[in-house]
């Protein structure tokens, strides 16, 4: 058993953990990422929608602000990643079309469009005919649409590959092992123990283990963030060359009250997602999930029947009680959260990397992330100190 040191240890090498590590290493900070299979779980299963407007929920104003900041951060993040690695970051700027299958669905997307307009978001309502003009292969009867020009997508598997390379080029140490526990001394997190018994001591830890974050051993129960796995099944279809492109834009459809999204990739892949089920850490793909996705996809895009089903896979979204991430102070000195990104992990990757890296460097959580402290789940009404709780965190100098 060996003991080593690193200025920062990031627990979890998904999109969030890798991008934080890259940002820190680029600033000259010595970073180690621990993950047995970096980038291979939720980060690679996701469809990669950048949909702050299309997926806005009533009453989630603080999250909307973060999601919009995340969307705005993507182009420069992708440019930097590509410039460093020479690999594609996967950003695909297509805009998104919300589609209503029947009259009831049309009423639902119009109500949402009204809300989106009140929030000052850019949306354009379309008739069924106008909707089909933008996407001619949609079902002949689609009732209405809403055009969202600022919502795009990312081929998240390309992003994972580019981030792994960026981390390597920036000097991040990647340890392909699980953490058996977080090492705590008094009220301070001081390192991690790996599954082979080796330990790494660190000035600062960042827990970015998605839905597995709340399970990390060593953290006092009362400080565990309320992050749970929310299963999603997703399909990848291949479009024969003769039919390409079957879609020009991301399509988010409401079909007889059910939601389905179809995300086209430049190489001819069509991603269809996603189911939502509370089944703990179960990642089996169930027949019912595949059935539902194909039923809804072919309702709005009949040519789905002609596409090759190349992959069905399930992932676990890191869900929280208010659907928003958990960022910053954990209640233990030396440990920051970067988890709970729920449906928005790909969207929030660049902004999370920015704010968490800044918090590690300065000890102060940037303002945009203040609503997402873990303390919001335990704070009694009126105890609303603006402090990040990270003020005492050791600063790591780059
Ligand atoms: N953001 C898409 C999903 O969670 O299914």
């Amino acid at each position: 058993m060996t003991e080593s040191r690193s200025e920062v240890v990031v627990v979890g090498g998904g999109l969030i953990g890798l991008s934080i590590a890259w940002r820190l290493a680029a600033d000259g900070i010595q970073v180690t990422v621990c993950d047995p299979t970096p980038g291979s779980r939720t980060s690679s299963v996701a469809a990669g929608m950048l949909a702050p407007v299309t997926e806005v929920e009533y009453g989630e104003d603080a999250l909307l602000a973060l999601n919009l900041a995340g969307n705005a951060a993507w182009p420069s993040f992708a440019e930097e990643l590509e410039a460093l690695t020479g690999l594609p970051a996967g950003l695909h700027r297509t805009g998104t079309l919300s589609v209503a299958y029947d009259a009831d669905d049309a009423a639902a997307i119009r109500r949402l469009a009204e809300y989106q307009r009140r929030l000052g978001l850019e949306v354009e309502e379309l008739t069924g005919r106008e909707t089909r003009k933008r996407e001619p292969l949609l079902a002949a009867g689609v009732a209405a649409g809403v055009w969202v020009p600022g919502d795009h997508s990312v081929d998240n598997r390309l992003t994972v590959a580019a981030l792994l390379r960026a981390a390597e080029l920036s000097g991040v140490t990647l340890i392909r092992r699980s953490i058996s526990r977080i090492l705590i001394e008094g009220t301070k997190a001081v390192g991690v123990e790996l599954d082979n018994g080796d330990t790494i001591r660190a000035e600062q830890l960042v827990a970015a283990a998605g839905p597995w974050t709340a399970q990390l051993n060593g953290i006092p129960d009362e400080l565990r963030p309320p992050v749970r796995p929310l299963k999603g099944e997703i399909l990848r279809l291949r479009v024969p060359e003769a039919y390409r492109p079957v879609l020009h834009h991301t399509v988010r459809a409401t079909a007889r009250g059910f939601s389905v999204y179809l995300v086209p990739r430049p190489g001819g892949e069509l991603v269809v997602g996603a189911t939502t089920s509370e089944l703990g850490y179960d990642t089996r793909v169930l027949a019912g999930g595949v059935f539902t996705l194909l039923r809804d996809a072919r309702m709005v895009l009949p040519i789905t029947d002609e596409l090759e089903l190349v992959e069905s896979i399930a992932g676990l979204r890191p869900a929280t009680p208010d659907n928003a991430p958990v960022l910053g102070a954990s209640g233990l000195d030396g440990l920051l959260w970067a988890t709970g990104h729920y449906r928005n992990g790909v969207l929030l990757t660049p902004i999370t990397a920015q704010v968490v890296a800044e918090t590690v460097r300065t000890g102060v959580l940037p303002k945009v992330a203040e609503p997402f402290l873990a303390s919001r789940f335990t704070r009694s009404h009126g105890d609303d100190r603006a402090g990040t709780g990270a003020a005492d965190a050791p600063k790591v100098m780059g």
Side-chain angles (χ1 to χ4, degrees):
M1 283 183 293
T2 63
E3 182 182 293
S4 55
R5 301 194 73 85
S6 182
E7 280 177 286
V8 177
V9 168
V10 179
V11 180
L15 285 170
I16 300 287
L18 288 174
S19 57
I20 292 168
W22 170 41
R23 285 295 185 225
L24 289 170
D27 282 336
I29 294 170
Q30 187 199 7
V31 190
T32 300
V33 173
C34 302
D35 192 315
T37 56
S40 70
R41 296 196 276 195
T42 313
S43 298
S44 282
V45 175
M49 284 188 300
L50 305 183
V53 176
T54 327
E55 291 197 347
V56 68
E57 295 279 347
Y58 296 99
E60 292 184 352
D61 297 6
L63 179 57
L64 173 65
L66 188 72
N67 286 347
L68 289 171
N71 207 23
W74 250 101
S76 58
F77 178 83
E79 264 170 45
E80 256 185 82
L81 197 51
E82 290 179 354
L84 174 66
T85 63
L87 297 172
L91 179 59
H92 192 205
R93 288 189 231 211
T94 60
T96 294
L97 192 60
S98 270
V99 171
Y101 180 72
D102 64 18
D104 284 347
D105 300 324
I109 70 165
R110 286 200 185 107
R111 268 196 307 277
L112 186 62
E114 171 56 32
Y115 180 60
Q116 288 161 330
R117 252 196 313 274
R118 264 191 282 135
L119 292 170
L121 303 172
E122 195 181 351
V123 294
E124 182 189 346
E125 285 184 55
L126 306 174
T127 63
R129 181 188 290 255
E130 288 165 340
T131 306
R132 283 194 307 280
K133 211 164 163 191
R134 286 180 189 255
E135 289 294 3
L137 294 183
L138 288 176
V142 297
V146 173
W147 170 237
V148 184
D151 280 6
H152 303 295
S153 71
V154 164
D155 185 336
N156 38 298
R157 291 180 175 179
L158 293 179
T159 318
V160 165
L163 274 173
L164 282 167
R165 181 81 182 119
E168 186 190 343
L169 290 171
S170 311
V172 172
T173 303
L174 184 57
I175 296 189
R176 292 175 189 263
R177 300 207 80 95
S178 302
I179 294 294
S180 56
R181 69 191 167 105
I182 304 282
L183 302 172
I184 315 270
E185 287 176 2
T187 58
K188 183 165 167 40
V190 295
V192 293
E193 183 186 274
L194 303 174
D195 58 3
N196 63 354
D198 289 352
T199 54
I200 310 170
R201 293 188 70 92
E203 292 165 36
Q204 187 82 55
L205 304 179
V206 177
W212 294 274
T213 309
Q215 290 195 322
L216 292 171
N217 290 324
I219 296 167
D221 282 345
E222 65 279 13
L223 296 181
R224 289 182 189 282
V227 180
R228 68 183 197 284
L230 191 67
K231 179 178 174 180
E233 286 141 328
I234 206 162
L235 309 176
R236 283 178 165 80
L237 310 180
R238 185 175 298 123
V239 181
E241 280 201 37
Y243 298 160
R244 289 183 202 169
V246 290
L247 290 176
H248 302 85
H249 315 288
T250 296
V251 165
R252 183 174 191 93
T254 309
R256 297 205 169 125
F258 290 92
S259 273
V260 66
Y261 50 77
L262 302 108
V263 187
R265 304 276 197 236
E269 183 177 81
L270 186 68
V271 184
V272 178
T275 59
T276 302
S277 32
E278 300 267 6
L279 289 173
Y281 290 88
D282 176 354
T283 51
R284 290 169 307 144
V285 175
L286 301 185
V290 177
F291 167 77
T292 312
L293 292 171
L294 290 177
R295 179 198 65 194
D296 298 341
R298 68 195 290 271
M299 219 186 311
V300 287
L301 187 72
I303 201 171
T304 300
D305 283 351
E306 308 299 324
L307 311 184
E308 185 186 352
L309 175 58
V310 289
E311 184 182 41
S312 55
I313 192 166
L316 302 173
R317 306 173 182 92
T320 62
D322 60 4
N323 302 335
V326 183
L327 303 174
S330 64
L332 283 172
D333 291 338
L335 175 66
L336 297 174
W337 301 132
T339 186
H341 291 77
Y342 185 43
R343 289 183 178 276
N344 302 307
V346 180
L347 172 65
L348 293 177
T349 289
I351 190 82
T352 302
Q354 212 173 293
V355 302
V356 174
E358 190 174 328
T359 310
V360 170
R361 279 193 310 264
T362 64
V364 180
L365 188 73
K367 217 169 172 42
V368 67
E370 277 180 13
F372 307 106
L373 282 161
S375 57
R376 72 187 186 273
F377 297 114
T378 50
R379 200 162 44 205
S380 60
H381 206 60
D383 176 17
D384 213 9
R385 289 175 303 132
T388 63
D392 299 331
K395 294 181 179 53
V396 178
M397 305 313 289

